[in-house]
Amino acid sequence: MRQSNPFKPTAGRMPPLLIGRDTIIDDFEEGLDDGPGAPGRLMRVTGARGVGKTVILTEFGRIAKARKWEVIDETASEGLAQRLLNRLAPDKPSVNLSLKPSVSIAGLGGVSLGEASVSSKQMPLTLRAAMGQRLDALERKNAGLLVTIDEAQAAERSDMVAIATAVQHLIREERNIAFVFAGLPTIASKWLNDEVLTFLRRAQSEQLGDIPLQDVRDAFEDTFKDSGIAIEGTALDMAAKATEGYPFMIQLVGYHIWRIAYRRRRNLDIKKPDSITVTEQDTEQGIANALSRLGDAVHGPELDGLSPIDKTYLLAMAQDDGPSSTSTVAERMGKDVAYANIYRTRLIEAQVIKDMGYGKVDFAIPYLRQYLREHAAYIRMNSSGTSL
């Protein structure tokens, strides 16, 4: 029987270990156990792509379900509040409905069918009532309700207002509710300065970053050993270093190295546990495969979300082998430092680059420099109106 790969480099899939995330998980667990009003029950989780935000939400859901809580997971997009309402009260028609005309039906005198939805003015009250009714049933069983919202930076303002208003009132009423929203660092500038959403500022802030390489090394060694394959010495050091502590890269590197070693063991028909050891060649090939996948899964989508001038700034940085001088970047862009600093600040806030002090910046996402160099011509061609 084929053995399952212990590494899961897929967005939202639960990896075999959540290394370096003990504190945030403990805070959430304590929040559930400490009761209404505990800080861990209202949380915002931010970080760049690939640092494990969705994985954390999945883990929170597992923890809540183990306590018999109901969990509603949603990803922000148009109609978020309406979808939450539909899940909370699927069998009850909502009052104060507005009808959105859609298609006329011949022979019915111009009558049209449409999509029923709660108006934006009524949504906060309606959503609060639906959550309250669901909590009435859950609290009789000493349980609660966890709502998680992923990609919160993409939510419509009206949806966030409705959700924030409803949750705020339920927390004041000391109901058994927990609310966690996750998103890119831009969530701070988009929502937290909105006067209507000041309630969200009080959410416990958790910023996910990289994992210490020693923790990565230990995790690789234990996970490979538990699956019957050994990784040690130079091969282990190479694998840990290649991840740069980036959570998604940890899963990618582990996945590809394990797969190569497992196939070799299977081809040799070796069945005895711990009877095969990862070679340096296995590691080199696994890292190469992981880097190829990283570009498609992280670098490409990250650049797609940036403006043409943001990309121009990054391409100017990519010409350096290490940290870049902000004045040199501005010169390469053909702009003055004040102009370039606008985009420097934006990219730092988005955690695409990081401030290195003394007027220097460097890439915050591993291997982004290499990706930019390899795809520079394509990026320039698709960044109309800018040039280097």
Side-chain angles (χ1 to χ4, degrees):
M1 181 181 295
R2 188 186 184 283
Q3 186 174 348
S4 175
N5 193 317
F7 295 93
K8 311 294 181 189
T10 303
R13 289 291 303 277
M14 183 57 60
L17 61 163
L18 283 157
I19 51 175
R21 304 303 187 216
D22 294 345
T23 299
I24 183 174
I25 291 171
D26 288 345
D27 286 350
F28 179 74
E29 287 187 310
E30 289 171 4
L32 295 190
D33 295 339
D34 289 347
R41 289 193 175 202
L42 179 62
M43 190 180 292
R44 67 176 184 270
V45 181
T46 60
R49 282 189 174 85
V51 298
K53 299 183 296 295
T54 305
V55 168
I56 281 292
L57 294 185
T58 304
E59 175 66 4
F60 285 175
R62 186 196 65 77
I63 291 169
K65 289 174 183 176
R67 288 163 169 74
K68 309 302 181 184
W69 278 45
E70 182 172 348
V71 178
I72 295 180
D73 298 311
E74 271 292 347
T75 299
S77 61
E78 185 179 0
L80 170 63
Q82 183 70 50
R83 293 197 304 276
L84 283 174
L85 183 59
N86 293 343
R87 294 183 65 177
L88 287 162
D91 301 323
K92 295 182 180 180
S94 301
V95 295
N96 298 314
L97 296 182
S98 62
L99 197 63
K100 299 178 182 178
S102 55
V103 60
S104 297
I105 303 177
L108 293 182
V111 175
S112 65
L113 296 179
E115 176 188 349
S117 64
V118 178
S119 69
S120 60
K121 291 183 179 180
Q122 292 294 330
M123 179 59 79
L125 181 61
T126 307
L127 191 59
R128 175 186 172 188
M131 286 184 175
Q133 290 174 4
R134 182 61 62 89
L135 284 166
D136 289 341
L138 290 168
E139 288 170 347
R140 285 194 290 269
K141 299 183 289 186
N142 296 315
L145 174 66
L146 166 65
V147 178
T148 72
I149 307 296
D150 204 0
E151 302 291 349
Q153 77 283 346
E156 298 286 333
R157 183 177 183 275
S158 59
D159 286 331
M160 289 297 285
V161 168
I163 294 166
T165 302
V167 174
Q168 179 173 225
H169 282 289
L170 293 167
I171 289 176
R172 285 178 180 173
E173 295 167 4
E174 297 191 346
R175 303 304 299 267
N176 217 18
I177 190 168
F179 177 64
V180 183
F181 58 104
L184 297 174
T186 51
I187 192 175
S189 58
K190 183 172 183 179
W191 296 129
L192 301 186
N193 294 323
D194 189 315
E195 291 183 4
V196 180
L197 298 171
T198 53
F199 154 73
L200 296 179
R201 295 180 195 168
R202 299 199 297 273
Q204 179 169 318
S205 176
E206 298 285 355
Q207 184 171 315
L208 301 184
D210 295 336
I211 309 300
L213 290 187
Q214 184 58 51
D215 291 347
V216 176
R217 192 182 189 281
D218 293 342
F220 273 157
E221 186 173 23
D222 292 342
T223 304
F224 273 86
K225 181 179 180 181
D226 291 344
S227 69
I229 296 174
I231 184 170
E232 55 194 25
T234 302
L236 178 56
D237 291 337
M238 289 169 57
K241 184 179 180 180
T243 71
E244 296 193 15
Y246 187 57
F248 189 64
M249 191 62 172
I250 294 171
Q251 297 299 322
L252 279 175
V253 169
Y255 177 86
H256 287 287
I257 293 175
W258 189 95
R259 184 173 65 169
I260 290 167
Y262 178 80
R263 287 177 175 176
R264 183 158 54 84
R265 188 180 76 174
R266 187 178 57 187
N267 292 337
L268 294 172
D269 197 28
I270 299 173
K271 296 182 173 62
K272 182 180 178 182
D274 301 323
S275 55
I276 193 166
T277 300
V278 173
T279 67
E280 292 180 32
Q281 185 177 358
D282 293 338
T283 304
E284 289 174 357
Q285 185 59 55
I287 292 170
N289 293 347
L291 286 173
S292 176
R293 174 66 180 137
L294 183 67
D296 294 336
V298 175
H299 297 145
E302 184 68 51
L303 292 175
D304 287 343
L306 300 178
S307 75
I309 303 178
D310 288 328
K311 297 173 189 176
T312 299
Y313 191 102
L314 295 176
L315 285 169
M317 284 181 59
Q319 296 180 41
D320 297 313
D321 294 329
S324 300
S325 164
T326 52
S327 60
T328 300
V329 170
E331 183 179 344
R332 290 171 181 163
M333 293 175 70
K335 304 292 183 179
D336 60 40
V337 173
Y339 179 89
N341 274 339
I342 296 172
Y343 297 91
R344 173 185 181 274
T345 301
R346 282 163 48 109
L347 291 165
I348 289 174
E349 289 178 351
Q351 293 184 13
V352 178
I353 64 175
K354 54 188 176 183
D355 185 352
M356 301 298 289
Y358 303 102
K360 292 184 178 295
V361 289
D362 203 355
F363 292 101
I365 300 176
Y367 302 101
L368 181 55
R369 186 194 321 276
Q370 179 178 328
Y371 183 88
L372 286 162
R373 288 176 174 178
E374 293 173 355
H375 297 81
Y378 176 81
I379 295 168
R380 286 192 181 95
M381 182 177 65
N382 287 276
S383 297
S384 58
T386 63
S387 62
L388 292 178

